[in-house]
Each structure stands twice: as structure tokens, then as C-alpha cells.
Amino acid sequence: MSPASSAARVPPASDSPADAVPADLNIPDNYVAHTLKTQKALPPITWQNWYKNINWLSFTILTVTPAIGVIGAMFTPLRWETLLFSIFYYYLTGLGITAGYHRLWAHRSYNASLPLQYVLAMLGAGAVEGSIKWWSRGHRAHHRYTDTELDPYNAHKGFLYSHIGWMMFKPRRKPGVADVSDLTKNPVVRWQHRNYLSLLLIMAFIIPTAIPWLFWGDARGGYIYAGVLRLCFVHHSTFCVNSLAHWLGETPFDDKHTPRDHVITALVTIGEGYHNFHHQFPMDYRNAIKWYQYDPTKWFIWVCQQFGLASHLKVFPDNEVQKGQLTMQLKKLREKQEKIAWPSDNNDLPVISWESFQEQSLKRPLIVIAGFIHDVSDFIDEHPGGPHLIVKMIGKDATTAFFGGVYDHSNAAHNLLAMKRVGVLHGGFQPGVDDKAIPPSQRLKIARYNELSGSPYNSGTAYSDSEGLLG
């Protein structure tokens, strides 16, 4: 999300046809690489030049405002009416950003009636984070170039940088191109852009001062608590979406980039904390998809729809959302799977004739089950059914006995048995036991894409009768 850095630096709005042309219409296919190669970044900030690189407008707003608030609070009693109003006004101006700037204008996740647009535009101005057009341009660049040098608040540059540092200092390079031609055509966006400074003063300071003064005679408290300190909370609430939401939490939909989901981030950002979902499905009007997840912005939009103030709420198909979740679940299972020891691949096992198998069984305890030769020397005394049941099957085919003839062994027994394979019996499996050759733990084993062309259970192997291959 975007900062307060353009609060008083809003360029005049333009209604020229050129502004309605998409800014990214004619960019090259290799735009990112081309830009990084051809556009030279500013020199790094050092201890010698840091003061020359401060963005003084942003620096002043982000330092003087909290200073005024803290000092003012030390000399201004907090009345309960002012406290409740400050919290209420925090949510109102916060929704101007989350429901307005972010989900309506930056991502076009729903349609808003003209009255609702004007209300959100004014409330958003009260958050002092720049005009809709300026804010949305930066946020669209953030989504298009997430975690790259063209991302205006690149999380890879550190928590403090993505939270506030990128506003305090001049950027080393311009953010990547992002189209806002649709916003240039919007009369509400143009109106707010032209009158932004006036709206900022009215919504951020005059109204929160006037209401407590008129209704319960607390003008100074209104200015300090509902105006200045409320503004500080709105700022850092919004900034947490750039920093905390890229640092704290899980990645249930995709881990290619830094956005994460966490309830704490949702609590401090009026519902914008399910950021991993949001970056995967940015045009969805929801941030939280479960009913119990905290997302008051979603419910605000939904309520507006019930009153006819909003329509066409965009929801990404649930089938595709589940694909994203399943992909990450399988990836995590694959990572866990690779930490587990598995039976030897068929290609790594020698092929042994029946005669050679029986001959070698005289030297050590070997048993055939489902076409595989197993060395059970370390399990005879551990067998739950007693050692005699194993000893009597040495040098024999125990497939029928293992799969229900004597006892229908558990998945755990099947998995453990597979770890004792030392060879493959020449001639194949007994009819009807082909599927049993694969232990249960491997039947659902997750394969990489390049492993799907062949199965280790179907691959051929060289034939050998050499006793040494079993040693």
C-alpha cells in the first residue's frame, strides 16, 4: 500500500486524451530486464550523502505528526466521548483506504455507486496518503513487480524499508510502469485529485476537531486524538500491509513471493492481513475467505451491496482457490517426503533367478513377497507373530501368507517390509499382486513434473544372477 508522501505534492489533474492512453501499451516484452539494464539507479545512500537523499515532505509528515500527537496528549485530557469518536473515525478513514483506494480503485474488485465513491474518496483523503490516482499507480506497480527492483516498497530490502524507509528517502529508481488510464477517466478520481489538499485539511483535521467541539465541547481533544494521533494509527496500519504482511505468517496459496497471511496483520490493517491470498487473487473483493477470519472491509463492501450502494462483487472461482491451496499443501508434503528414507528403486536392485534366490537363502534369511526379495535377518526376533513364522518361509514365496493367508498385514508392516528389499525376482509378480508391490506410503508419493514420464515400478532393469549383487 502507499504512503503519505504525496500529501501536499499533488500535481494538477489532467483530462487530456493522452492521459487516457494506457501507460504500458507499448512497453517491450522484456520490460523488466530492459529497464533494469538501461535505466541507471541513483547512487546508494551512505553516511556521507544520507541527508541529501531525504524526502523532506514525507519525512516531515511522518515525524512531525506523531510528535505533535504525543506532546499534545501529554497536556490534553482524553474524554471517553473523544476516545470512542477517534476509534470510529479511525475505521472510517481506514475504510477509505482499504475499501476505496485499495479494493475499489486499485484493484477494481467491485463497482460502487456515485455517492459511495464520493464518500470513500473523501474518507481516503482523511488518511493523508496521497490522491487515489497517485496511490493506485504505486500500488499497481507493487503488484506487477512484487519483490523486484521495480517494486516501490520491495520487501527484500528489509522490514523497515518496506514499512517506512522507502518514503523517508528518495527512491533509487522509479517504480515500474503501471496503467491508471481507467482512473484518469473517472470523474470522482479527477475531482479528488484536483481538490486533494482542501479535502485533506477538511477530512483529516477540521472534521475530527469540529465534531467533538460541537457535540461535547472538546475541540482540542478532537484535534489531538481524533485528528493527529488517529492519523498516525491510520498511517502505520496501512504501512503494515507493505511490511508486516510480507514478513509475518504463512503462505497457503503460493510461496513464490513474500506476501503472507496472518490474523495479527489483519487486526492491525482493518482486514488486509490475508495478503498471500490477496496477491494470488487481487481482484477478489475479499481478503479473508473464511467466515471466521477478520476482514471488516469485506463486510463493509457486502453491506454496501445489500443497500444497493455496491454491485458486481468479484469472487475468484472456489475451484481455482482450492487448486492454489492444494499446490502448497502438496509442496509441503513433498518437502517432508524428501526427509524420509524410502525403499530402493527397482533400477537399483539386481534381478535374481529363483534358483539363485534359493541358493543364497541358505546363507542368510531371504524371503520373496510380491516379486521382491527381502533380507529379514534383523527382524526375525522382532516379528510380532513370533520368529517361527518367518523362519519357515525362508527361501520361499510368502506373498499369500503376508497378504491375508496367515495375516493381512498393516500398512506399517508393508512399508517396513519394503525397506528390506535386496533384489527383484526374475519372472515378475504372481498374478493379482502387482498393485501390492507398491507399499502404501508410496502409492500417493508426490512426484516432480520431470518424474511423471516414467514410474520406478515399471522401468526395466538388467538381469543378473551374480550372488555378489545381493551382498
Side-chain angles (χ1 to χ4, degrees):
M1 291 197 169
S2 300
S5 59
S6 71
R9 189 188 56 193
V10 181
S14 172
D15 297 336
S16 66
D19 286 343
V21 177
D24 54 358
L25 182 62
N26 297 311
I27 62 173
D29 291 344
N30 63 338
Y31 169 75
V32 175
H34 174 77
T35 301
L36 295 177
K37 182 178 180 180
T38 59
Q39 293 186 10
K40 188 176 180 180
L42 293 177
I45 298 175
T46 64
W47 287 109
Q48 288 72 37
N49 68 7
W50 64 269
Y51 61 92
K52 297 179 182 178
N53 288 283
I54 291 179
N55 185 330
W56 288 106
L57 176 63
S58 297
F59 183 87
T60 302
I61 294 173
L62 297 174
T63 56
V64 173
T65 303
I68 292 174
V70 171
I71 295 172
M74 294 171 62
F75 301 97
T76 306
L78 176 58
R79 295 180 53 170
W80 68 266
E81 302 99 323
T82 304
L83 173 63
L84 293 179
F85 175 70
S86 300
I87 296 172
F88 174 71
Y89 202 59
Y90 159 79
Y91 274 97
L92 282 183
T93 52
L95 286 170
I97 298 296
T98 60
Y101 279 37
H102 187 210
R103 302 194 196 185
L104 174 60
W105 284 298
H107 291 299
R108 298 169 291 188
S109 63
Y110 67 101
N111 293 347
S113 64
L114 204 58
L116 180 59
Q117 288 190 57
Y118 276 108
V119 169
L120 290 174
M122 290 188 290
L123 291 174
V128 192
E129 298 190 11
S131 70
I132 296 166
K133 184 178 178 180
W134 183 89
W135 195 102
S136 298
R137 187 258 179 273
H139 191 72
R140 289 181 182 181
H142 166 63
H143 271 264
R144 180 175 290 189
Y145 312 106
T146 305
D147 298 340
T148 73
E149 288 296 320
L150 299 185
D151 180 351
Y153 18 96
N154 183 359
H156 286 314
K157 294 185 177 181
F159 182 92
L160 288 177
Y161 176 86
S162 60
H163 186 78
I164 198 171
W166 67 280
M167 294 172 279
M168 304 288 268
F169 293 92
K170 298 174 183 177
R172 299 299 85 194
R173 63 169 68 247
K174 294 180 179 179
V177 64
D179 175 46
V180 288
S181 58
D182 59 311
L183 301 180
T184 302
K185 302 172 186 176
N186 187 305
V188 177
V189 174
R190 292 203 305 268
W191 169 78
Q192 194 232 35
H193 198 72
R194 285 194 302 267
N195 302 287
Y196 180 69
L197 187 56
S198 299
L199 290 171
L200 179 156
L201 294 173
I202 295 169
M203 300 302 298
F205 301 108
I206 295 176
I207 287 182
T209 302
I211 290 179
W213 173 52
L214 293 174
F215 286 92
W216 55 88
D218 189 20
R220 191 168 73 173
Y223 172 75
I224 293 298
Y225 295 106
V228 179
L229 288 179
R230 182 271 320 165
L231 180 58
C232 294
F233 276 96
V234 170
H235 279 170
H236 289 279
S237 169
T238 302
F239 301 163
C240 279
V241 184
N242 300 334
S243 55
L244 195 64
H246 287 256
W247 176 73
L248 176 66
E250 303 296 327
T251 54
F253 298 94
D254 185 25
D255 62 356
K256 183 178 181 180
H257 298 302
T258 56
R260 296 173 178 272
D261 286 3
H262 203 283
V263 64
I264 290 178
T265 313
L267 290 172
V268 300
T269 59
I270 316 183
E272 301 282 16
Y274 300 98
H275 210 49
N276 191 253
F277 173 85
H278 172 63
H279 267 256
Q280 283 296 292
F281 314 106
M283 294 187 74
D284 197 307
Y285 88 98
R286 307 164 299 171
N287 224 244
I289 58 175
K290 303 294 186 182
W291 66 267
Y292 54 82
Q293 293 174 321
Y294 182 76
D295 186 1
T297 301
K298 172 185 71 177
W299 293 115
F300 171 80
I301 296 170
W302 181 84
V303 169
C304 287
Q305 181 193 43
Q306 305 310 303
F307 285 94
L309 297 172
S311 63
H312 299 84
L313 278 57
K314 295 178 182 177
V315 176
F316 217 80
D318 184 62
N319 185 72
E320 306 310 307
V321 172
Q322 291 188 51
K323 283 181 185 177
Q325 291 175 308
L326 179 61
T327 298
M328 288 306 301
Q329 291 167 3
L330 292 175
K331 184 172 183 177
K332 290 179 180 178
L333 287 173
R334 174 77 192 202
E335 291 171 355
K336 184 176 182 179
Q337 172 182 290
E338 291 182 346
K339 297 177 182 178
I340 298 174
W342 298 93
S344 299
D345 188 277
N346 290 17
N347 292 321
D348 300 328
L349 296 173
V351 178
I352 305 299
S353 67
W354 178 260
E355 293 76 15
S356 180
F357 156 68
Q358 290 187 310
E359 181 181 344
Q360 293 183 57
S361 296
L362 299 175
K363 302 175 184 178
R364 57 182 174 147
L366 300 177
I367 296 176
V368 169
I369 297 178
F372 287 98
I373 300 170
H374 304 82
D375 184 335
V376 295
S377 56
D378 63 348
F379 193 65
I380 293 177
D381 293 334
E382 304 295 329
H383 187 242
H388 62 283
L389 293 178
I390 292 184
V391 171
K392 76 174 186 177
M393 299 306 297
I394 293 175
K396 300 178 182 178
D397 190 323
T399 302
T400 299
F402 185 85
F403 288 107
V406 174
Y407 178 69
D408 190 8
H409 285 74
S410 65
N411 286 349
H414 194 178
N415 292 331
L416 179 62
L417 177 70
M419 298 299 294
K420 304 183 183 302
R421 295 173 179 174
V422 293
V424 179
L425 184 66
H426 182 255
F429 307 130
Q430 292 183 14
V433 300
D434 302 56
D435 61 323
K436 297 177 181 178
I438 305 175
S441 61
Q442 285 183 284
R443 291 175 190 167
L444 294 177
K445 193 173 181 182
I446 302 164
R448 295 186 186 278
Y449 179 78
N450 57 6
E451 295 173 341
L452 297 177
S453 57
S455 167
Y457 303 104
N458 295 327
S459 58
T461 183
Y463 172 76
S464 171
D465 255 342
S466 170
E467 294 182 14
L469 293 178
L470 284 175

